[in-house]
Amino acid sequence: MSRVFEALTKAKQERERPEDALTEDSRPFENEEKSPEIVPLHGDWSLGQNGNLRPAPIALPRNSLAPKTWRERIEELVFGWDLRRYATHPIVALEEESPASEQYKILREQIKRLRTEAGIRTIAVTSPVKRDGKTTVAVNLAAAMALEYEEKVLLIDADLRAPSAHRFFQEEGWPGLTEYLGASSLGGIKSLVRETHLSGLRFIPAGKPSRFASELLAKDRMRHLFEEIQRELPDHVVIIDSPPVLATPDPLVLGRQVDGVILVIRAGKTPKDYLAKALSAFNSNKILGVVLNGADLGLGSKYYYYYSSNGRG
């Protein structure tokens, strides 16, 4: 974990430089989404020339984007629907040959290996605090996984206090999970699941914001939801956008119901003690890895950092 802390410390020092010492290109932007760096707990690693552990490069086909159906082509022509063109909430995993896109594909391959070796199927994505980019990572990871022809993904927005994942798809946020969990009748999830314009990716929005999010997520109905997903969508990987772990108890409630948790931190923003507290909040066996978001992927940067816990990694 020390290498993660070193990266955060260095980024913090850069942020604390005098305002006039910052160039126009180095000024931080609140909504800027740079390439994430993967900090996995599993995988094959080799020793690089500079002494840092790094994964073997992964060769990916250029035509990994699934071909569009005739209906999708007509809809795009008439309505202009194309996930890659959403300016306010872009899905960068769909970009061709971009550093961010390749990083999400690396994360996808790490998750794919965990699924094979450990049977990981339901994954919650959270962060220590707000604005670390956990929703962006959850949506882009789901999109990157859905790019594979044989992969089917269900993305669930479980941030019932401040839902935002629906904006990436230009969709209404309700009805959704809040309405499903708060309903008295035992209706099915088929009415909640929405198709997206990316083949293989389905989506359940959060619904209207609720002050009683943790109580709703702790209900037996949430457990029944996972059981119904297992029954109705048995071939889907489930990615869940979860609220920040240090702000609400919601991720801890979800953590007991999922197979694993991915923690997202932002370079130059997330304090080191927040990272330590967030990691200690979960059972160590639940943490799949850490994603360092907002990292500078210049030629001189360190692309990957290694994190190990309980002798694993």
Side-chain angles (χ1 to χ4, degrees):
M1 197 189 317
S2 60
R3 293 187 181 276
V4 177
F5 285 172
E6 289 175 5
L8 292 174
T9 301
K10 181 179 179 181
K12 181 179 180 182
Q13 292 173 351
E14 291 292 330
R15 183 182 59 177
E16 293 176 349
R17 289 168 55 190
E19 184 70 19
D20 56 0
L22 292 176
T23 63
E24 194 67 27
D25 291 337
S26 63
R27 295 180 184 275
F29 291 88
E30 186 66 31
N31 295 326
E32 182 181 9
E33 293 298 339
K34 296 182 180 179
S35 302
E37 294 192 16
I38 315 307
V39 191
L41 290 176
H42 307 268
D44 291 334
W45 294 74
S46 60
L47 192 63
Q49 294 180 353
N50 58 0
N52 292 324
L53 287 170
R54 58 184 303 174
I58 300 173
L60 297 172
R62 290 177 56 88
N63 60 347
S64 57
L65 187 61
K68 297 178 181 179
T69 64
W70 64 269
R71 179 177 179 178
E72 289 172 338
R73 292 179 182 275
I74 293 177
E75 288 175 340
E76 181 180 344
L77 179 63
V78 176
F79 300 105
W81 288 340
D82 189 339
L83 295 179
R84 289 164 292 189
R85 298 175 184 171
Y86 293 163
T88 57
H89 293 78
I91 300 183
V92 297
L94 303 182
E95 297 175 357
E96 295 183 3
E97 299 182 351
S98 74
S101 176
E102 296 306 311
Q103 293 296 302
Y104 281 114
K105 291 176 183 178
I106 292 174
L107 178 58
R108 174 190 69 191
E109 296 305 311
Q110 294 286 349
I111 297 300
K112 186 176 181 179
R113 177 167 183 170
L114 288 177
R115 290 185 59 209
T116 302
E117 295 181 349
I120 301 296
R121 183 170 179 266
T122 55
I123 302 170
V125 180
T126 186
S127 61
V129 291
K130 293 181 179 180
R131 301 188 182 279
D132 282 337
K134 50 94 179 173
T135 300
T136 297
V137 171
V139 173
N140 279 275
L141 173 59
M145 297 182 72
L147 285 177
E148 290 193 324
Y149 293 113
E150 298 180 356
E151 197 73 87
K152 295 183 179 179
V153 184
L154 175 64
L155 173 66
I156 302 177
D157 188 351
D159 191 345
L160 305 186
R161 300 173 189 266
S164 62
H166 61 280
R167 297 173 183 171
F168 287 83
F169 304 101
Q170 301 286 303
E171 290 276 355
E172 292 290 339
W174 64 280
L177 187 58
T178 296
E179 288 72 28
Y180 173 86
L181 296 176
S184 57
S185 60
L186 295 177
I189 66 168
K190 290 186 177 180
S191 60
L192 292 180
V193 176
R194 303 184 187 181
E195 301 291 337
T196 70
H197 293 87
L198 182 60
S199 178
L201 177 59
R202 293 178 172 179
F203 172 59
I204 295 180
K208 293 183 177 180
S210 173
R211 295 179 299 166
F212 307 103
S214 59
E215 289 80 7
L216 289 173
L217 294 173
K219 295 178 65 174
D220 286 341
R221 193 164 172 81
M222 187 66 185
R223 179 173 55 83
H224 294 155
L225 173 67
F226 285 117
E227 293 175 352
E228 189 170 359
I229 292 173
Q230 178 79 30
R231 183 172 60 254
E232 299 291 337
L233 305 171
D235 53 349
H236 283 60
V237 181
V238 182
I239 304 295
I240 304 168
D241 179 25
S242 169
V245 65
L246 299 185
T248 71
D250 308 359
L252 303 181
V253 175
L254 285 171
R256 295 193 293 265
Q257 306 179 62
V258 299
D259 297 327
V261 176
I262 293 176
L263 189 65
V264 179
I265 59 176
R266 181 176 290 278
K269 179 182 180 295
T270 308
K272 293 185 292 185
D273 57 331
Y274 283 20
L275 171 60
K277 290 178 181 178
L279 288 171
S280 63
F282 295 99
N283 186 318
S284 60
N285 293 328
K286 289 283 187 176
I287 299 294
L288 301 180
V290 177
V291 173
L292 181 59
N293 192 28
D296 182 10
L297 292 186
L299 293 177
S301 68
K302 298 177 181 178
Y303 277 66
Y304 308 99
Y305 296 90
Y306 180 76
Y307 170 73
S308 179
S309 174
N310 291 338
R312 297 189 303 170

